[in-house]
Amino acid sequence: MFTAESIIDSVQNAKKTFVTTFVTDDKFKAELTKLIDAQTKFAKGQVSTTLEIAQTLYKNASDAFYAKKTA
């Protein structure tokens, strides 16, 4: 099944493959690889944060909508 993290990994691995294949300067290749790794970490963090916000919003909205009546 496709998840956000697997899609991010697929795109970032494609970038790494492109860099490995077409960039000939080793120093530049290493810097681009570090950039791609940083982008991967950032994107996964954004997905995680967005998912946590959505889950919290859903829980709070559900609790408010289905609030238990007190006696």
Side-chain angles (χ1 to χ4, degrees):
M1 179 162 191
F2 293 107
T3 63
E5 287 196 6
S6 68
I7 293 170
I8 291 169
D9 285 335
S10 296
V11 170
Q12 298 303 79
N13 286 335
K15 287 181 183 181
K16 282 185 180 180
T17 301
F18 180 85
V19 167
T20 303
T21 304
F22 294 108
V23 177
T24 56
D25 183 13
D26 289 334
K27 185 177 179 184
F28 190 59
K29 188 184 298 188
E31 293 299 318
L32 285 175
T33 302
K34 286 194 315 190
L35 174 65
I36 293 168
D37 290 338
Q39 289 174 339
T40 303
K41 184 177 178 182
F42 175 78
K44 286 183 178 182
Q46 287 295 101
V47 166
S48 175
T49 301
T50 302
L51 183 60
E52 287 177 23
I53 290 170
Q55 288 173 337
T56 302
L57 179 64
Y58 176 77
K59 181 187 175 302
N60 290 339
S62 294
D63 291 346
F65 188 72
Y66 297 112
K68 294 183 179 179
K69 297 180 181 178
T70 57

